[in-house]
Amino acid sequence: METQLLQVFRTVARSGSITAAARQLRFTQSAVSRQIAALETDLGVRVFDRLPRGVALTEQGRVLLPHAEAILDRLATAQQSLDDLHRLDAGRLRVGAFPTAVAALVPRALASFRSAYPHVALSLIEGLTPGLLDRLTAGAADVVVVSSSPAGPIGGGHVDLHHLLDERLLVAVSRGHRLARRRVVRLAELAEDAFVVGSANAEDTLLRASLPSGFQPRIDIVAAEWTGKLGCVAAGLGVALVPALAMRGTPADIALLRLHADDESVRRVFAATVAGRAVPPAVTRFLTHLREAAHGFGDDPRG
C-alpha cells in the first residue's frame, strides 16, 4: 500500500469532502476519487459512504483512520529525525585521536564544530593509531586522527585517508643549552647529548622514523609523560624530540629548535574514515573544521 493513499484517505476523512480534500492536496477531484478507490481495492473494503453532500466514514474507515494517522505521523517523525541529522540539529560525533593531536589540533576543531552545531553530542577517544583504526573499523568511532608509521601504510586499504598536515619534529633543549639560541641544528651537533625519551620500547618507533641511519642517540632518561620529559629537558638532563602538535607554545624554560632539512623528519597526519561506507553529515562537516584547525600547523611547527 502506498503511503500517499493513506495521506489522501486521512485528508478526506478530516475534511469530510473529496472536493475539499482535493483543494488541500492540490489534486484534481477525480485524482482524489481514483486514489480512494485504489485504497479500497487494496484493502478489500469500502472506507467511505458517498453522500449527496460529501462523504462519511464507514465502520471499516473508522477502524482504519487511527492506524493511518499513526503510520503517517511515524513517517513524519522519521523524516524530521533525518532532516535534523542532515542539518546537524541532532546526532552524535565520536572522534578518536593520537595523544599529541589532542594537545591542540583536535580540541580546536571540536570547539569550532560545537560552536557551529551545538546540538550534536561530542565524544573524544585518545589512543595510538593502530587502536584507533581498530575502533573505527569496529564502528566504535566515526572519524579518527592518525599519523603515518614506518611500519607500513595506514589502515591496509580499509580506510579512506584525508590528509590534514605534515608535522615536523622539533628538538627541545634547555635555555642554558649551548645551542639554545640557534633556530636550526644538525643532528650531528647533538651526538654528545643525552636524549630524554617517553618509553624505551615505544620510542624506538619514533626514533626509527625520525633519525637518519647511523645516528645512535644516547638515552639516559625515560619519562613517560610530556610534563616529565620537558621537565628533564628544562633541567638540562638531556634533549628531546618533540612533535610540533604537542606544543601549544614554547615553555619559558625550553627552546624549540628546527632540524636541518637534511635531518628533518616529517610525520604525515590524517583523518581516517571507513572505506566504502557512507560518511555521516557530522563527519563531513567535522572534516572541514579539522582542515581549518590544521591550517598553519604545517607551516609553523610550533602551532
Side-chain angles (χ1 to χ4, degrees):
M1 183 189 304
E2 295 182 14
T3 56
Q4 182 173 300
L5 298 183
L6 293 179
Q7 178 68 47
V8 171
F9 166 69
R10 182 174 67 175
T11 304
V12 173
R14 288 177 173 178
S15 64
S17 165
I18 288 177
T19 301
R23 284 197 299 268
Q24 292 181 40
L25 295 169
R26 298 184 179 181
F27 292 165
T28 64
Q29 183 175 341
S30 61
V32 172
S33 295
R34 286 196 301 271
Q35 292 188 66
I36 293 299
L39 177 66
E40 291 176 329
T41 298
D42 284 348
L43 296 174
V45 298
R46 195 168 70 184
V47 295
F48 289 113
D49 286 325
R50 278 66 172 176
L51 306 176
R53 300 187 61 167
V55 295
L57 285 167
T58 64
E59 185 65 22
Q60 292 90 338
R62 283 191 292 273
V63 170
L64 175 63
L65 181 58
H67 295 289
E69 290 178 328
I71 291 169
L72 293 171
D73 289 346
R74 190 66 178 267
L75 286 172
T77 299
Q79 185 63 59
Q80 182 63 51
S81 296
L82 292 174
D83 291 343
D84 288 345
L85 283 177
H86 181 72
R87 293 192 302 267
L88 300 191
D89 289 334
R92 68 181 183 183
L93 178 65
R94 300 165 300 168
V95 180
F98 60 91
T100 52
V102 177
L105 171 64
V106 173
R108 289 180 191 178
L110 285 172
S112 63
F113 181 88
R114 172 169 281 173
S115 178
Y117 308 106
H119 301 296
V120 177
L122 300 179
S123 62
L124 175 61
I125 307 155
E126 183 180 301
L128 301 179
T129 290
L132 292 172
L133 292 172
D134 287 343
R135 293 184 70 96
L136 177 69
T137 55
D142 301 309
V143 58
V144 295
V145 178
V146 295
S147 61
S148 58
S149 165
I154 299 174
H158 300 298
V159 299
D160 289 328
L161 298 176
H162 312 266
H163 181 251
L164 297 176
L165 59 92
D166 291 334
E167 178 195 31
R168 295 180 176 89
L169 284 171
L170 307 176
V171 179
V173 302
S174 69
R175 286 292 178 182
H177 192 277
R178 67 187 186 281
L179 301 176
R181 295 184 180 275
R182 296 267 297 276
R183 289 183 58 83
V184 178
V185 296
R186 298 296 304 260
L187 277 172
E189 297 176 276
L190 300 171
E192 301 302 318
D193 288 271
F195 277 69
V196 181
V197 300
S199 166
N201 294 323
E203 199 67 15
D204 287 344
T205 300
L206 175 62
L207 293 177
R208 276 205 312 274
S210 309
L211 301 180
S213 176
F215 184 86
Q216 295 295 327
R218 191 176 94 241
I219 297 174
D220 290 345
I221 295 175
V222 174
E225 301 295 334
W226 283 108
T227 301
K229 183 185 295 187
L230 294 178
C232 291
V233 170
L237 296 176
V239 301
L241 292 175
V242 181
L245 288 179
M247 307 305 296
R248 290 178 294 178
T250 305
D253 50 2
I254 284 178
L256 296 176
L257 315 178
R258 289 275 294 270
L259 284 170
H260 188 277
D262 292 341
D263 298 333
E264 186 177 49
S265 174
V266 175
R267 178 168 65 167
R268 307 197 77 199
V269 178
F270 303 89
T273 55
V274 180
R277 295 186 193 172
V279 179
V283 172
T284 299
R285 312 282 177 83
F286 182 65
L287 288 174
T288 298
H289 288 263
L290 265 177
R291 293 186 184 100
E292 291 173 353
H295 181 71
F297 272 108
D299 297 325
D300 179 1
R302 279 164 279 198

